[in-house]
Amino acid sequence: MTKKVAIITAGGSGMGASAARRLAKDGFAVAILSSSGKGEALAKELGGIGITGSNQSNDDVKRLVDTVFERWGRVDVLVNSAGHGPRAPILEIPDEDWQRGMEVYFLSAVRPARLVTPIMQAQRSGSIINISTAWAFEPAAMFPTSAVFRAGLASFTKIFADTYAPDNIRMNNVLPGWIDSLPATDERRQSVPLQRYGRADEIAGTIAFLASDDAGYITGQNIRVDGGITRSV
């Protein structure tokens, strides 16, 4: 039997790369998409598939999924990571930057999900995990396009989860706060109740749990991993 297979988009560095390393450690065959080429190098190190391309390109994402399916014949897990979108005062963001924010933070998750879902339906199983942000529901002016479109991603996730739960396909969002893959400042650190930045490997551990059978009854959720900086009611 082919081992379980995980695809990680925008996985050349940061939280995406940490997720790829952790899933490989947990026994998954991994495939990584990265625009920088770092994903190819990491995939080689992990014995997987690496493709240089963008999650903002339907053609690149299709090439990734087709390559994975041709080699391994299945997709068990999809991790949607993302780069960084435009930032500016809220009314100074031009239309084209709002469009780019939608590409970076929203459509980058929709495209791969659209392609892997039929494969997961045939398998009657699958887990999709989107790396979102702690500020999706408590938005901060410093991350306007991220907050707006990741709030939209939360709605998409709930609709997807409702639609594909009968096929045993789950989708959840991980909401990281200040993580050590970002530049650190004392002000940000002190704003966190735990008084530290989170580690990328802690985000990867949450992703690994959501990818596992232990999380088989969790779908449509937004999991905060932020040291307590945001709190649900």
Side-chain angles (χ1 to χ4, degrees):
M1 178 181 174
T2 302
K3 65 166 67 176
K4 287 190 174 182
V5 174
I7 291 175
I8 303 94
T9 66
S13 60
M15 290 179 280
S18 291
R21 291 184 186 278
R22 174 58 188 268
L23 291 170
K25 181 181 177 182
D26 288 353
F28 284 84
V30 297
I32 303 169
L33 178 72
S34 169
S35 60
S36 67
K38 292 179 181 177
E40 281 198 55
L42 178 57
K44 185 176 181 180
E45 174 188 329
L46 300 175
I49 293 170
I51 287 182
T52 297
S54 172
N55 57 7
Q56 297 175 43
S57 162
N58 279 306
D59 289 344
D60 289 350
V61 175
K62 186 175 187 304
R63 180 160 54 96
L64 170 71
V65 174
D66 288 348
T67 301
V68 168
F69 192 73
E70 286 167 12
R71 179 177 299 186
W72 291 316
R74 61 186 300 117
V75 178
D76 299 280
V77 172
L78 167 65
V79 178
N80 285 313
S81 187
H84 299 286
R87 293 170 57 183
I90 190 76
L91 293 183
E92 295 177 19
I93 302 170
D95 287 3
E96 56 268 26
D97 278 356
W98 282 114
Q99 292 289 342
R100 189 155 66 92
M102 182 171 66
E103 291 283 341
V104 171
Y105 296 119
F106 179 70
L107 290 176
S108 63
V110 174
R111 290 187 185 97
R114 188 186 289 139
L115 292 172
V116 304
T117 296
I119 298 170
M120 292 178 171
Q121 283 180 298
Q123 297 166 181
R124 301 284 304 166
S125 67
S127 176
I128 301 175
I129 302 124
N130 305 312
I131 300 178
S132 180
T133 178
W135 293 275
F137 303 109
E138 298 182 31
M142 70 182 89
F143 303 123
T145 59
S146 171
V148 166
F149 290 110
R150 282 165 161 167
L153 181 61
S155 293
F156 175 87
T157 294
K158 290 179 181 295
I159 296 169
F160 180 98
D162 288 348
T163 304
Y164 293 101
D167 296 313
N168 196 32
I169 303 171
R170 299 180 293 111
M171 180 182 281
N172 294 287
N173 297 326
V174 174
L175 278 53
W178 298 118
I179 302 300
D180 62 6
S181 57
L182 298 168
T185 70
D186 287 340
E187 180 183 4
R188 291 175 179 177
R189 184 182 296 107
Q190 290 163 9
S191 72
V192 180
L194 282 176
Q195 295 289 290
R196 67 175 178 87
Y197 271 54
R199 302 189 309 274
D201 68 293
E202 290 175 313
I203 302 303
T206 305
I207 290 168
F209 168 67
L210 291 171
S212 74
D213 292 340
D214 288 340
Y217 204 50
I218 300 175
T219 192
Q221 303 304 309
N222 294 277
I223 312 296
R224 291 172 167 85
V225 191
D226 64 5
I229 198 169
T230 62
R231 304 151 187 81
S232 59
V233 175

